[in-house]
Amino acid sequence: MQAQNFSVSGAVKDGDNQSIPFATVFLLQVADTTIVKGVSADENGMFAIQHVLPSTYLIRASYIGKYSDLIGIDVAKDIKMGTLIIEEQVENLEEVVVASVKPKIERKADRLIFNVENTVVSQGSSWDVLKRTPGVIAIGEELQVRNQSATIYINDRKVQLSPQEVQNLLENYPAGHIKLVEVIGNPPAKYDAEGGPVLNIVTNKNISLGYKGNINSTYTQAIFPKYTLGTSHFYKTKKLNLFTSYTYGPRKDFKTIESETNFINDTGIFSRWQTDFDKTSRAKTHTAQLNMDYVFDYRNKLGLTSTALVSPNKDYDYVQFTEMRNAQRLLDSTFITQSDLFEDKNNFSADLTYTHDFKTGGNLQLNGHYTNYDFNSTQNARSDYSDADGQFLRTYGFLTDADQAIEIYTTQLDIVTTLGSLDVETGLKGSFIESKSGIQYFNTTNGSVFISNLSDDYLYDEQVYAGYVSLSKDWEKVSLKTGLRAEHTQSSGFSTSLSEINDLSYFELFPTLHLLYKPHKAHSLSFDYSRKLKRPRYEDLNPFRYYINENNFIEGNPNLLPNFTHSFNLNYTLKEEFFFDFYYRYNDNYISTLAFQDNINLVLRNITQNVLGSNSYGFDFNYGKSVTDRWYLYSYISIFHEDETFVALESENQEVTNTVNGGYIDLTNYLTLSKDGTLKGEVGLTYLSGFLEGSYQQEETTNLNLGLRKTLWNNRALVSLQVNDLLNKANSRISSKYLNQDNAYFAQEETQYVRLGLTVNFGNFRLEDNQREIDKIERERLNSN
C-alpha cells in the first residue's frame, strides 16, 4: 500500500448548485490541518488531486475568502468526491443585504488577479473595471501596462478589434458579468512571442439550461449624435451551446486639428505654416458573431467561433486651410485643400477548436484558424493656392486608389499535463500569412495622368513555426514558473515598382521566468522576466505614400525589422492591498512612427522605422480603500521614464534622443446611492503629465467624468448615464522641437459627450453565454483604422 498513490476528484459549486470555476481545493492533515496538496479547479469547477498517498485526510474548497465545510476522507483507492459546496455569505443590516466588498487582489507567480465579482467595482461597465485594475493606465482609447499597449482577452480569447471598437464593446458589456481580471505583464511561454502585456477578463459561469436574449442600445451626444443598436441570443442544452449577436452602429464623428510647422534654414525660421484641419467621417458598421460549442461527452468537445465585420462606404471629408507666413509673420500666401476619402472594409474570421480532457487531469487542444481581410480606399483631393490678397495662383489635384487583401491561416496544438510534481504546458504552432496590396496615383490637375513612380504593388508572404514548453511548481512559500518558446520566421516582400525583394529568415528563443516568494501571508515578493518581439504591421511594410495633401504624407517602409524586447519587473505586495511595482524594459529595434519636416521642399512626412534604442522604467503604486459601506476609493500612481533614440533623417542623419519623465494619477470614487443597491454612481479623475509619441512629446491631460447606473425590474433592464471630460482637458498639444525640426499640433476629438445606455433582458437572463473573441496574434497586425 505504501508504494501506491491515488487520485481525489470532484466538483466545486455554490449554494445554488452553480459551478465555481478556478476555486482552490486543499487536502489537509487531520492532526493539525496543515496543507498536504492543493489544486485549482478548471473553468467548469472540476478538480482532480493526483499522487495522493494512502491515509486519512480532511478536504476543503475555497474561493475569494469563502470556504466549504471540512470533510474527512479515507484514501485507499481513487476517490470521486461528488460536490464540495461553498455557501454564499451575506450580511443583513437593517433589512438591506450587503454583498459588495472591497476587491480582492491576488499575486501569482506569473500574473496579478483582480477579483471583482460582487464588489463595488463591478457596478459600471467592463471598460470601467479594466481602467481601475491595478497596474493599468488608460490613455485615450488605449489601455497600457507598464507603458506598453495591453491586449484584451475574454475567457482566454483575444478580442480582435481596433482600440476604439474594443472600447465600444467593453463599455456595453456589464461589469457584473466579470468574475476576475488577470494582469499578465510578462506572458508565459504559452503565449506568442509577439505581443506585450495581457488583460484577461474571466466571466461568471453558469450551467443552467435554457434561452436568454437582449436588445441593447446606446445614444451618445457629442458634437454629432451617434447610436448603436444590437441584439444577442444564447441557447443552451446539455450538449449544445449556441450564441449569436448582431450590432448596427451608424455614426458621424468630427475631429479638428490646429497645426504649425516652422521651416528652418541656416538663418533660422524662414517660413511659418499654420493649418486648421477639419475632419468629418461617416460610417455604418455591421458586426455579427456566431459561437457554437458541442459537447460529445464529459471529456471531448468542439467549439466554433466566427465573426464578420462589414463597414461599407465609410467616407471622410477633409477641409484644410493653411496660411504661409514669412519670418516676420507677414502673410505670403494661403491654400485650401478639400479631400474626399471613401473606404470599404470587410473582415471575416473563423476559429475551430477541439478539446480532449485527460482522465488524470490536463487536456489537449487542437485549433485551426482562418482570416480574410479586404480593404480598399479611394481619395480625391484638390488644393487651391492664393496670394496674400486672396488672388488665385494655381491648383494641384490628385487621386489615389489603394487596396489590400490579407489571408491568415494558423494551426496550433496545446497540451496541459503533469510530470511528477510539475505542471507542464507544451505545444506547437504554424502561421501562414499572405498579403497583397497596391496603390495607383493620378495627377488630376489637368485631366488624369498616371504617375508611375508613386504607384506600386507589394506582395508579402510570411511563415512562422513555433514550439514551447512551460514548467511550474508550487512549494509552501515559493512558486516558480519558467518556460522557453522557439520561433522560426521566414518572410518575403516584393515591390513591383522598385523591383526589390526583401527576404528575411531568423530563428529566435524567447525565455520566460516567474518567481513568487511569500514569507508571510501579509507579504509577498515576485520577480518576472521575458523576451518578446513585435513584427511590423502589414500596412507599414508597404512602400506607399498616403497623402493628406501634396505637402503632408505618410510613407511605408519595406525594410522594417522585428523589434525585440527584454522586460524585467519586481513587485512587493503588502496585505494584498498595497502594491509596489518596479519595472525596466529595453526595446531593441523598436518600431516607431516618426515625423520629419523637409526644410528644402517644405514637406512634412511620417515614416515608420526602427529606432536605435528605447528604454522604459518606472514605479507604480496602487491602493484601494472602502471609506464607508457605500463608498470605495481607488487610487493609482505611476512615475515613469521613456526614451527613444532615432536617426533624424532630415537633420543630416544625426542621432536624437527624445525623453519624457512623467507621472500618472487615477482617483476614482465608486458610490452606492440607494439602499437596495440598484442605483450606483462613479466620480473619476485621471491626470497624465505627458507622454512620448515617437518624435513627438505629448503635454498634460486631465479627465473628469461622472456616471450613474440604475437597474430596473429585478435586473431585467439597465439604464446608464455617463458624462465624460467635464473640464474639456482630455486632449493635449503634441510637439516636436529639436535641431532643425519645429512642428506641433493640437488635435481635438469628441471626448466631451453624454452617453445614455439601455439594455432589456428576456428569457433566462441570468444564464451566462459562450460569447468570446478570436485569439490570433497575427490578426493584430491588420490595419485598425
Side-chain angles (χ1 to χ4, degrees):
M1 290 288 293
Q2 293 301 321
Q4 298 178 1
N5 54 70
F6 303 101
S7 66
V8 178
S9 59
V12 184
K13 296 184 179 182
D14 61 20
D16 295 325
N17 200 35
Q18 306 301 316
S19 296
I20 302 180
F22 314 115
T24 304
V25 182
F26 297 102
L27 272 185
L28 309 171
Q29 294 280 8
V30 175
D32 55 6
T33 67
T34 57
I35 297 175
V36 178
K37 282 181 175 291
V39 296
S40 294
D42 63 16
E43 63 179 10
N44 298 314
M46 306 299 293
F47 70 89
I49 305 176
Q50 307 293 335
H51 310 296
V52 180
L53 294 176
S55 185
T56 301
Y57 301 95
L58 298 173
I59 189 168
R60 164 180 275 180
S62 71
Y63 185 72
I64 313 182
K66 305 183 183 76
Y67 300 91
S68 68
D69 293 335
L70 284 170
I71 298 175
I73 58 174
D74 184 10
V75 178
K77 61 179 181 180
D78 291 342
I79 292 181
K80 295 183 178 180
M81 283 292 302
T83 302
L84 300 176
I85 301 296
I86 299 178
E87 295 288 351
E88 183 71 18
Q89 298 173 2
V90 297
E91 182 181 0
N92 192 285
L93 297 175
E94 297 181 355
E95 299 182 350
V96 177
V97 175
V98 179
S100 291
V101 296
K102 68 178 181 179
K104 180 178 175 61
I105 301 171
E106 301 176 59
R107 173 68 66 174
K108 301 293 185 181
D110 62 344
R111 67 198 63 193
L112 180 145
I113 299 176
F114 188 40
N115 294 286
V116 298
E117 187 177 31
N118 296 326
T119 69
V120 292
V121 180
S122 65
Q123 64 184 322
S125 69
S126 298
W127 182 256
D128 299 325
V129 171
L130 291 186
K131 291 196 298 182
R132 306 299 169 239
T133 298
V136 176
I137 294 179
I139 299 178
E141 61 191 33
E142 184 176 74
L143 299 173
Q144 296 194 350
V145 176
R146 302 172 192 166
N147 290 349
Q148 280 186 296
S149 297
T151 303
I152 309 301
Y153 285 69
I154 298 178
N155 294 327
D156 285 321
R157 295 307 230 177
K158 185 172 297 164
V159 179
Q160 294 292 352
L161 299 171
S162 70
Q164 180 61 57
E165 291 167 331
V166 168
Q167 182 176 353
N168 291 339
L169 169 70
L170 296 179
E171 282 179 338
N172 294 284
Y173 189 83
H177 290 180
I178 298 179
K179 181 178 292 292
L180 56 90
V181 177
E182 295 179 321
V183 183
I184 312 174
N186 281 338
K190 179 179 179 179
Y191 292 81
D192 291 86
E194 181 173 9
V198 167
L199 292 175
N200 182 38
I201 299 172
V202 179
T203 62
N204 300 302
K205 295 292 180 178
N206 193 310
I207 62 172
S208 299
L209 307 182
Y211 163 80
K212 76 167 186 177
N214 70 50
I215 297 175
N216 56 82
S217 179
T218 64
Y219 175 83
T220 302
Q221 181 62 59
I223 295 177
F224 294 118
K226 54 210 92 207
Y227 70 91
T228 65
L229 181 62
T231 182
S232 65
H233 305 270
F234 178 64
Y235 178 68
K236 182 179 179 65
T237 67
K238 290 183 178 181
K239 287 187 174 291
L240 178 67
N241 297 348
L242 186 64
F243 172 85
T244 181
S245 69
Y246 169 75
T247 302
Y248 174 59
R251 58 186 299 128
K252 183 179 180 181
D253 296 298
F254 180 78
K255 181 179 182 180
T256 182
I257 303 174
E258 299 173 0
S259 66
E260 57 188 53
T261 304
N262 297 318
F263 293 101
I264 300 172
N265 59 19
D266 294 338
T267 62
I269 297 174
F270 69 91
S271 184
R272 305 173 187 270
W273 289 27
Q274 293 182 325
T275 300
D276 291 331
F277 179 20
D278 292 338
K279 171 183 173 182
T280 304
S281 63
R282 302 170 182 85
K284 296 179 179 179
T285 303
H286 306 263
T287 305
Q289 184 172 8
L290 173 66
N291 295 347
M292 183 175 65
D293 296 314
Y294 185 79
V295 179
F296 297 101
D297 52 49
Y298 73 98
R299 287 171 50 199
N300 298 279
K301 62 183 177 181
L302 189 68
L304 170 68
T305 300
S306 59
T307 60
L309 185 148
V310 179
S311 180
N313 301 319
K314 183 175 183 179
D315 67 272
Y316 300 86
D317 292 333
Y318 295 158
V319 178
Q320 299 177 76
F321 176 72
T322 300
E323 292 183 340
M324 294 172 283
R325 299 177 180 270
N326 61 21
Q328 291 73 39
R329 301 183 183 275
L330 298 177
L331 184 64
D332 283 335
S333 58
T334 65
F335 71 89
I336 296 178
T337 300
Q338 291 184 304
S339 175
D340 296 321
L341 177 64
F342 299 92
E343 290 182 351
D344 286 313
K345 180 167 64 174
N346 301 311
N347 193 335
F348 170 78
S349 59
D351 205 279
L352 188 65
T353 302
Y354 166 72
T355 303
H356 172 75
D357 294 327
F358 301 133
K359 289 182 179 180
T360 56
N363 62 63
L364 175 149
Q365 280 195 347
L366 182 62
N367 173 268
H369 171 83
Y370 173 72
T371 286
N372 184 288
Y373 175 83
D374 185 73
F375 173 82
N376 62 76
S377 66
T378 302
Q379 182 183 14
N380 193 352
R382 180 170 291 269
S383 298
D384 295 323
Y385 291 78
S386 303
D387 62 17
D389 296 324
Q391 298 298 312
F392 174 77
L393 295 175
R394 65 182 179 88
T395 291
Y396 181 83
F398 67 90
L399 183 145
T400 61
D401 187 4
D403 61 85
Q404 185 166 35
I406 299 174
E407 286 190 308
I408 300 173
Y409 301 86
T410 71
T411 181
Q412 184 168 347
L413 173 68
D414 296 292
I415 298 175
V416 178
T417 186
T418 58
L419 183 62
S421 60
L422 294 176
D423 293 323
V424 181
E425 297 178 2
T426 187
L428 301 170
K429 182 179 180 181
S431 305
F432 311 93
I433 298 103
E434 180 179 296
S435 172
K436 299 178 181 179
S437 54
I439 189 170
Q440 293 183 314
Y441 186 96
F442 299 86
N443 186 323
T444 59
T445 304
N446 296 300
S448 180
V449 180
F450 179 70
I451 309 298
S452 59
N453 65 313
L454 294 178
S455 304
D456 198 3
D457 289 303
Y458 188 71
L459 306 177
Y460 179 79
D461 294 306
E462 180 183 279
Q463 301 88 41
V464 180
Y465 305 92
Y468 75 91
V469 62
S470 179
L471 305 174
S472 60
K473 182 175 175 60
D474 293 331
W475 292 271
E476 182 179 356
K477 295 183 178 182
V478 178
S479 296
L480 173 67
K481 186 168 187 176
T482 184
L484 182 66
R485 187 178 185 92
E487 291 194 357
H488 175 69
T489 304
Q490 290 179 300
S491 64
S492 178
F494 175 68
S495 168
T496 57
S497 67
L498 301 177
S499 297
E500 288 183 357
I501 299 177
N502 294 307
D503 290 332
L504 197 62
S505 178
Y506 53 93
F507 175 82
E508 296 288 344
L509 297 176
F510 302 93
T512 58
L513 173 66
H514 304 84
L515 182 63
L516 173 66
Y517 174 57
K518 298 188 71 171
H520 186 270
K521 66 179 181 179
H523 306 274
S524 70
L525 188 67
S526 67
F527 170 80
D528 57 71
Y529 162 78
S530 70
R531 183 177 187 252
K532 296 288 184 179
L533 90 158
K534 178 182 179 182
R535 297 182 178 90
R537 286 174 49 179
Y538 308 120
E539 67 166 4
D540 291 336
L541 294 167
N542 300 342
F544 307 156
R545 288 183 176 180
Y546 296 96
Y547 285 84
I548 299 173
N549 56 53
E550 61 269 32
N551 303 100
N552 192 342
F553 58 85
I554 301 170
E555 186 174 8
N557 182 2
N559 297 310
L560 286 174
L561 298 174
N563 156 218
F564 294 91
T565 300
H566 296 269
S567 298
F568 304 84
N569 183 65
L570 181 65
N571 167 270
Y572 170 68
T573 303
L574 175 63
K575 297 181 179 179
E576 297 293 342
E577 292 182 345
F578 300 90
F579 290 84
F580 306 86
D581 271 287
F582 302 86
Y583 68 88
Y584 171 75
R585 184 174 64 254
Y586 172 71
N587 303 296
D588 186 23
N589 284 335
Y590 184 68
I591 299 173
S592 184
T593 299
L594 308 172
F596 300 106
Q597 62 188 61
D598 181 346
N599 291 304
I600 297 177
N601 298 305
L602 306 184
V603 168
L604 184 65
R605 63 169 175 156
N606 293 268
I607 184 170
T608 304
Q609 70 176 32
N610 296 105
V611 304
L612 299 177
S614 173
N615 295 278
S616 304
Y617 55 84
F619 164 73
D620 295 346
F621 168 76
N622 51 74
Y623 172 66
K625 175 70 174 179
S626 292
V627 182
T628 69
D629 290 339
R630 297 189 182 184
W631 176 15
Y632 180 82
L633 173 64
Y634 168 82
S635 62
Y636 173 44
I637 300 173
S638 178
I639 302 171
F640 57 83
H641 167 91
E642 297 281 329
D643 67 63
E644 287 185 25
T645 301
F646 58 90
V647 176
L649 300 181
E650 296 294 344
S651 308
E652 299 180 348
N653 292 333
Q654 296 184 60
E655 292 185 10
V656 174
T657 300
N658 195 8
T659 302
V660 167
N661 296 302
Y664 178 85
I665 300 174
D666 183 350
L667 299 174
T668 304
N669 300 272
Y670 297 97
L671 307 170
T672 301
L673 302 175
S674 64
K675 288 186 177 181
D676 60 2
T678 60
L679 179 61
K680 298 181 179 181
E682 175 186 329
V683 181
L685 177 69
T686 59
Y687 170 79
L688 177 64
S689 65
F691 210 68
L692 194 66
E693 294 189 17
S695 53
Y696 288 102
Q697 290 190 13
Q698 173 187 324
E699 297 180 3
E700 68 178 15
T701 62
T702 304
N703 188 5
L704 175 64
N705 58 79
L706 304 175
L708 290 173
R709 181 174 183 265
K710 173 68 175 178
T711 57
L712 304 169
W713 311 323
N714 194 24
N715 288 327
R716 287 196 174 270
L718 169 66
V719 179
S720 63
L721 177 68
Q722 182 181 0
V723 184
N724 194 66
D725 192 15
L726 274 76
L727 303 178
N728 194 24
K729 292 185 177 181
N731 298 300
S732 70
R733 176 182 168 87
I734 298 176
S735 60
S736 177
K737 189 172 183 178
Y738 63 90
L739 301 177
N740 63 346
Q741 304 286 291
D742 187 358
N743 59 88
Y745 66 90
F746 178 56
Q748 291 182 282
E749 301 186 38
E750 293 179 278
T751 55
Q752 279 196 309
Y753 60 79
V754 177
R755 176 174 296 156
L756 180 66
L758 173 64
T759 299
V760 178
N761 301 298
F762 45 85
N764 183 9
F765 67 95
R766 291 185 176 89
L767 176 67
E768 286 300 324
D769 57 45
N770 61 339
Q771 181 179 358
R772 56 179 178 266
E773 298 296 332
I774 291 179
D775 172 14
K776 286 293 165 290
I777 194 73
E778 293 77 18
R779 289 171 51 83
E780 279 198 334
R781 294 155 64 199
L782 297 174
N783 179 16
S784 61
N785 293 328

